[in-house]
Amino acid sequence: MRHATDVSSTCHHCGEMGPAASGIIVGAWVVCISCGRPRRRPEVAQSRRSGWARLWLVPVMVLALTTSLAAQAEAPRALVVTAENLMSGDAQHQALAARGGDAAAALPGDTLRYRLRFTNVTQGEVRGVVFNNPVPKSLRYVDGSAGADRQDVVVDYSIDGGRTYSARPMVSEVVAGKRVQKPASPELYSHVRWTVRGSIAPGASVTAEFRATLAAAPLRDSSSH
């Protein structure tokens, strides 16, 4: 597997060209970074080969180990990411809409729900799927909000910009002259990661989500961890 920055072709799904049409090469296929759909490499035969498939969609990354990557031209998108402002129906947002503004606009104190839906567009089972989503610096993670629609999904968190993960990140502080470890505040979480332990059948999907609140000002500088 290699990153397909050297594949200078246009994605026939979304029409992106150049760097935006780059993807991840897996056998005879390239997964488009922009739209998440596979397209056939022009310089290879029609054969299919097993391997690792890494699907990148900024700011979200989905890593998938596949037994085969063979999707039709009109296959559904492998990854769909949505963000919903859960406060868009309250009085403050309705007043904003009455003044000609966007009722879905995020205002300080609003809670947003992010959903990541991965669909297996291959003809074989997919294993080793991992969602990795950063929490924007202007938002703070809502404690306990990360979950998935499957029981075999493990959720971990990072407080150092995605370099390390733990189910319960710890920070150190000095108490009475001694350095001690304590659980990090959820508002320090910089990334959320979901690991699917089992396999995903052809055509099946898995959805992960978390919630975050818009702060009045950035709460952290992740480079300081």
Side-chain angles (χ1 to χ4, degrees), residues 35-36 55 57 60 62 77-81 116-119 131:
C35 69
L55 313 180
L57 182 64
V60 181
V62 176
R77 292 180 59 178
L79 178 64
V80 176
V81 183
L116 299 74
R117 180 182 177 88
F118 172 75
T119 301
F131 297 88

Side-chain angles (χ1 to χ4, degrees), residues 65-126:
L65 173 62
T66 69
T67 57
S68 66
L69 184 58
Q72 300 300 319
E74 300 304 320
R77 292 180 59 178
L79 178 64
V80 176
V81 183
T82 60
E84 178 186 4
N85 187 350
L86 300 180
M87 315 299 292
S88 61
D90 66 12
Q92 184 179 17
H93 288 79
Q94 292 306 308
L96 177 63
R99 298 193 300 269
D102 183 2
L107 304 176
D110 284 0
T111 298
L112 285 72
R113 177 172 60 200
Y114 289 85
R115 280 183 171 165
L116 299 74
R117 180 182 177 88
F118 172 75
T119 301
N120 179 6
V121 298
T122 76
Q123 295 179 351
E125 287 189 342
V126 170

